[in-house]
Amino acid sequence: MALQKRCTSSAIERSHELYRACGGVYNVQTSTWIFSSQSRIEFAFLDSDSDKWRYAGRSFNCILWDELCEWPNADAYVYLLSRLRTTKDSGLRLEVRASANPLGPGASWVRSRWKIPDDGGPSTCTDEATGFHRRFIPARLSDNPHLLGSDYEKMLQSLPLSQRKALLEGRWDAVAGSIFEEFSHAKHVCEPFPIPFTFDIWRACDPGFRAPSCVLWLAHDRDMTDTIYVIAELYQAQLTPTMLAHKIRRIDFSLPIDIGGEVIDNDCPLDGIIDSAAFSDNGQGSRGDEMNKLGCRWKPSEKGWNSRLAGISAIHQRLATRPDGTVGLRIFKTCKNLIKTLPALCYSKTRPDDVDTEAEDHCYDCLRYGLTRKVFWTRRVRVKGL
């Protein structure tokens, strides 16, 4: 089966040049090529996530994806893997092939799944659950002698920087259309360090269950540089409120604190901001209340269209380069999911000032909760020896 985001005539027209010469007969009603061996190649579409259920109960031995990065998340791709099956003694090989450009709403998850390096070089990895291999094979314009020096190459040279890097050089660290284009690994990612006890520390949470729960720990150097650091990250699905609370508390009291020449585990209770939906009562109490009973000390985030815009604005302000060359937000390199997903976020097609919520936005939501919390400042003084 050959899958496209939407049915287009170009791929089908090209297939006529290839398959008719092999004796294939094309069925217009089903968009299927049928060969004398009774092998079939079907052209299909999967425009929205719900379209994946069109293929429930079906089986394929080969699935081909066209422009995989057009799908904003991995849900449909992973589900279609369950349709990849054949009888034990058929002799058929099960395989999936996909084409992709390092652009589009799905660039982040595609890059992560195949472990594609920044420069778009080749990569091979093994699925821990199945043992199956995944391989990324790059193909740049420079590999095609028929396109070198062509008008197409000249057109790519005239594109904006991020698009030019992606389409001409094949780089996967240049996200065209990204909301946070100012994000830079060199400026905004740093090595972890023990947190000075004078920093204010808090956390933010975007809870989930089937989707991952995300918790970020933030620390603010208010006195010296006015820099907020994202110092720790929890990103995991299938966590009940109780399980999530216990994991949060363990991290709370394992954060390394520098008390002036000596580093100890944090011993101060932390509070934070959580998605206000966590306090919705389902008849048996809310998730927020359940976690607060276990010591999480959550407060609900502000909700509404203005709060989303305020969150985007707060992130832009912190990412901006200041006159002295510094930035207001730095992320410990151990916070891999935030580093991966934040620069990959694109604008929504229906709400042009907002994030595309079909993309992987859990870390983004968490960060905006953390940066827009209302703070009443107090000064914490630690006295050694008491």
Short mmCIF file of all heavy atoms in Angstrom, two decimals, residues 309-340:
data_model
loop_
_atom_site.label_atom_id
_atom_site.label_comp_id
_atom_site.label_asym_id
_atom_site.label_seq_id
_atom_site.Cartn_x
_atom_site.Cartn_y
_atom_site.Cartn_z
N LEU A 309 -1.67 33.18 24.13
CA LEU A 309 -0.85 34.21 23.51
C LEU A 309 0.20 34.74 24.48
O LEU A 309 1.34 35.01 24.09
CB LEU A 309 -1.73 35.35 23.00
CG LEU A 309 -2.69 35.03 21.85
CD1 LEU A 309 -3.44 36.28 21.43
CD2 LEU A 309 -1.93 34.45 20.66
N ALA A 310 -0.20 34.89 25.75
CA ALA A 310 0.75 35.35 26.77
C ALA A 310 1.89 34.35 26.93
O ALA A 310 3.05 34.73 27.15
CB ALA A 310 0.03 35.58 28.09
N GLY A 311 1.56 33.06 26.84
CA GLY A 311 2.59 32.03 26.96
C GLY A 311 3.59 32.08 25.82
O GLY A 311 4.80 31.99 26.03
N ILE A 312 3.08 32.23 24.58
CA ILE A 312 3.97 32.35 23.43
C ILE A 312 4.87 33.58 23.58
O ILE A 312 6.08 33.53 23.33
CB ILE A 312 3.15 32.43 22.13
CG1 ILE A 312 2.43 31.11 21.87
CG2 ILE A 312 4.05 32.78 20.94
CD1 ILE A 312 1.50 31.14 20.68
N SER A 313 4.26 34.68 23.99
CA SER A 313 5.02 35.92 24.17
C SER A 313 6.10 35.77 25.23
O SER A 313 7.24 36.24 25.06
CB SER A 313 4.07 37.06 24.55
OG SER A 313 4.78 38.26 24.79
N ALA A 314 5.77 35.09 26.34
CA ALA A 314 6.75 34.90 27.41
C ALA A 314 7.95 34.09 26.94
O ALA A 314 9.09 34.37 27.31
CB ALA A 314 6.08 34.22 28.60
N ILE A 315 7.68 33.07 26.12
CA ILE A 315 8.79 32.25 25.60
C ILE A 315 9.65 33.07 24.64
O ILE A 315 10.89 33.03 24.71
CB ILE A 315 8.24 30.99 24.91
CG1 ILE A 315 7.52 30.11 25.93
CG2 ILE A 315 9.38 30.20 24.26
CD1 ILE A 315 6.82 28.89 25.33
N HIS A 316 9.00 33.84 23.75
CA HIS A 316 9.77 34.70 22.85
C HIS A 316 10.66 35.67 23.63
O HIS A 316 11.83 35.87 23.28
CB HIS A 316 8.82 35.49 21.94
CG HIS A 316 8.34 34.74 20.74
ND1 HIS A 316 9.20 34.18 19.82
CD2 HIS A 316 7.08 34.47 20.29
CE1 HIS A 316 8.50 33.59 18.86
NE2 HIS A 316 7.21 33.75 19.13
N GLN A 317 10.10 36.28 24.66
CA GLN A 317 10.87 37.25 25.44
C GLN A 317 12.09 36.61 26.08
O GLN A 317 13.17 37.21 26.12
CB GLN A 317 9.98 37.87 26.51
CG GLN A 317 8.92 38.81 25.96
CD GLN A 317 7.98 39.31 27.04
OE1 GLN A 317 8.25 39.19 28.23
NE2 GLN A 317 6.86 39.89 26.63
N ARG A 318 11.92 35.39 26.56
CA ARG A 318 13.04 34.72 27.23
C ARG A 318 14.07 34.19 26.22
O ARG A 318 15.26 34.09 26.54
CB ARG A 318 12.52 33.59 28.10
CG ARG A 318 11.88 34.08 29.40
CD ARG A 318 12.95 34.58 30.34
NE ARG A 318 12.40 35.29 31.50
CZ ARG A 318 13.15 35.86 32.43
NH1 ARG A 318 14.47 35.79 32.34
NH2 ARG A 318 12.60 36.48 33.44
N LEU A 319 13.64 33.82 25.03
CA LEU A 319 14.57 33.33 24.02
C LEU A 319 15.35 34.45 23.34
O LEU A 319 16.43 34.22 22.78
CB LEU A 319 13.81 32.54 22.94
CG LEU A 319 13.22 31.19 23.33
CD1 LEU A 319 12.42 30.61 22.17
CD2 LEU A 319 14.30 30.20 23.76
N ALA A 320 14.83 35.66 23.39
CA ALA A 320 15.44 36.78 22.67
C ALA A 320 16.86 37.05 23.16
O ALA A 320 17.16 36.93 24.36
CB ALA A 320 14.57 38.04 22.83
N THR A 321 17.72 37.44 22.23
CA THR A 321 19.09 37.81 22.58
C THR A 321 19.11 39.24 23.08
O THR A 321 18.62 40.15 22.41
CB THR A 321 20.02 37.68 21.36
OG1 THR A 321 20.00 36.32 20.90
CG2 THR A 321 21.45 38.05 21.73
N ARG A 322 19.67 39.45 24.26
CA ARG A 322 19.71 40.77 24.88
C ARG A 322 20.89 41.58 24.37
O ARG A 322 21.78 41.03 23.70
CB ARG A 322 19.74 40.60 26.40
CG ARG A 322 18.50 39.88 26.91
CD ARG A 322 18.42 39.76 28.43
NE ARG A 322 19.30 38.75 28.98
CZ ARG A 322 19.04 38.07 30.10
NH1 ARG A 322 17.91 38.28 30.76
NH2 ARG A 322 19.90 37.18 30.57
N PRO A 323 20.91 42.89 24.63
CA PRO A 323 22.00 43.74 24.11
C PRO A 323 23.40 43.25 24.48
O PRO A 323 24.34 43.47 23.72
CB PRO A 323 21.70 45.11 24.75
CG PRO A 323 20.22 45.12 24.94
CD PRO A 323 19.86 43.71 25.30
N ASP A 324 23.53 42.58 25.62
CA ASP A 324 24.85 42.10 26.02
C ASP A 324 25.17 40.71 25.46
O ASP A 324 26.19 40.11 25.80
CB ASP A 324 24.99 42.07 27.55
CG ASP A 324 23.97 41.14 28.21
OD1 ASP A 324 23.14 40.55 27.48
OD2 ASP A 324 23.99 41.00 29.45
N GLY A 325 24.29 40.20 24.59
CA GLY A 325 24.54 38.92 23.95
C GLY A 325 24.01 37.71 24.70
O GLY A 325 24.10 36.58 24.21
N THR A 326 23.47 37.92 25.90
CA THR A 326 22.93 36.81 26.69
C THR A 326 21.46 36.59 26.36
O THR A 326 20.84 37.39 25.65
CB THR A 326 23.08 37.08 28.20
OG1 THR A 326 22.29 38.26 28.54
CG2 THR A 326 24.53 37.33 28.56
N VAL A 327 20.90 35.51 26.87
CA VAL A 327 19.48 35.19 26.68
C VAL A 327 18.85 34.95 28.04
O VAL A 327 19.54 34.69 29.03
CB VAL A 327 19.29 33.95 25.78
CG1 VAL A 327 19.76 34.24 24.36
CG2 VAL A 327 20.02 32.74 26.34
N GLY A 328 17.53 35.02 28.08
CA GLY A 328 16.82 34.90 29.35
C GLY A 328 16.34 33.50 29.67
O GLY A 328 15.75 33.28 30.74
N LEU A 329 16.57 32.55 28.77
CA LEU A 329 16.13 31.17 29.02
C LEU A 329 17.24 30.23 28.57
O LEU A 329 17.70 30.28 27.42
CB LEU A 329 14.85 30.85 28.25
CG LEU A 329 14.32 29.41 28.39
CD1 LEU A 329 13.81 29.17 29.81
CD2 LEU A 329 13.22 29.12 27.37
N ARG A 330 17.65 29.34 29.48
CA ARG A 330 18.64 28.32 29.14
C ARG A 330 18.13 26.98 29.64
O ARG A 330 17.49 26.90 30.69
CB ARG A 330 20.01 28.65 29.73
CG ARG A 330 20.53 30.04 29.33
CD ARG A 330 22.02 30.14 29.45
NE ARG A 330 22.69 29.38 28.39
CZ ARG A 330 23.99 29.09 28.40
NH1 ARG A 330 24.74 29.46 29.42
NH2 ARG A 330 24.53 28.41 27.40
N ILE A 331 18.41 25.94 28.87
CA ILE A 331 17.85 24.62 29.15
C ILE A 331 18.99 23.64 29.35
O ILE A 331 19.89 23.54 28.51
CB ILE A 331 16.96 24.16 27.96
CG1 ILE A 331 15.88 25.21 27.66
CG2 ILE A 331 16.34 22.81 28.25
CD1 ILE A 331 15.14 24.98 26.35
N PHE A 332 18.95 22.91 30.46
CA PHE A 332 19.96 21.89 30.68
C PHE A 332 19.85 20.85 29.57
O PHE A 332 18.74 20.45 29.17
CB PHE A 332 19.75 21.21 32.03
CG PHE A 332 20.26 22.00 33.21
CD1 PHE A 332 20.63 23.33 33.08
CD2 PHE A 332 20.35 21.42 34.47
CE1 PHE A 332 21.09 24.07 34.17
CE2 PHE A 332 20.82 22.14 35.56
CZ PHE A 332 21.18 23.47 35.42
N LYS A 333 21.00 20.40 29.07
CA LYS A 333 20.99 19.48 27.94
C LYS A 333 20.33 18.14 28.25
O LYS A 333 20.02 17.36 27.35
CB LYS A 333 22.41 19.26 27.42
CG LYS A 333 23.30 18.43 28.33
CD LYS A 333 24.65 18.19 27.68
CE LYS A 333 25.52 17.23 28.49
NZ LYS A 333 26.83 17.00 27.83
N THR A 334 20.10 17.87 29.53
CA THR A 334 19.42 16.63 29.93
C THR A 334 17.91 16.70 29.68
O THR A 334 17.24 15.65 29.75
CB THR A 334 19.67 16.36 31.42
OG1 THR A 334 19.41 17.56 32.17
CG2 THR A 334 21.13 15.96 31.65
N CYS A 335 17.38 17.86 29.39
CA CYS A 335 15.93 18.01 29.12
C CYS A 335 15.70 17.79 27.62
O CYS A 335 15.35 18.70 26.86
CB CYS A 335 15.44 19.39 29.56
SG CYS A 335 15.73 19.74 31.31
N LYS A 336 15.86 16.55 27.19
CA LYS A 336 15.93 16.23 25.77
C LYS A 336 14.62 16.46 25.02
O LYS A 336 14.62 16.86 23.85
CB LYS A 336 16.39 14.79 25.60
CG LYS A 336 17.81 14.55 26.11
CD LYS A 336 18.24 13.11 25.92
CE LYS A 336 19.67 12.90 26.44
NZ LYS A 336 20.12 11.49 26.26
N ASN A 337 13.48 16.19 25.67
CA ASN A 337 12.21 16.34 24.96
C ASN A 337 11.86 17.80 24.71
O ASN A 337 11.35 18.14 23.64
CB ASN A 337 11.10 15.65 25.75
CG ASN A 337 11.22 14.14 25.72
OD1 ASN A 337 10.93 13.50 24.73
ND2 ASN A 337 11.69 13.56 26.82
N LEU A 338 12.14 18.67 25.65
CA LEU A 338 11.91 20.10 25.44
C LEU A 338 12.82 20.62 24.34
O LEU A 338 12.37 21.36 23.45
CB LEU A 338 12.15 20.87 26.74
CG LEU A 338 12.01 22.39 26.64
CD1 LEU A 338 10.61 22.80 26.20
CD2 LEU A 338 12.36 23.05 27.98
N ILE A 339 14.09 20.23 24.36
CA ILE A 339 15.04 20.68 23.35
C ILE A 339 14.63 20.18 21.97
O ILE A 339 14.79 20.88 20.97
CB ILE A 339 16.46 20.18 23.70
CG1 ILE A 339 16.94 20.88 24.99
CG2 ILE A 339 17.43 20.44 22.56
CD1 ILE A 339 18.20 20.27 25.57
N LYS A 340 14.07 18.98 21.91
CA LYS A 340 13.67 18.39 20.63
C LYS A 340 12.42 19.05 20.08
O LYS A 340 12.34 19.35 18.87
CB LYS A 340 13.43 16.89 20.81
CG LYS A 340 12.92 16.19 19.57
CD LYS A 340 12.53 14.75 19.87
CE LYS A 340 11.24 14.68 20.66
NZ LYS A 340 10.73 13.30 20.84
#
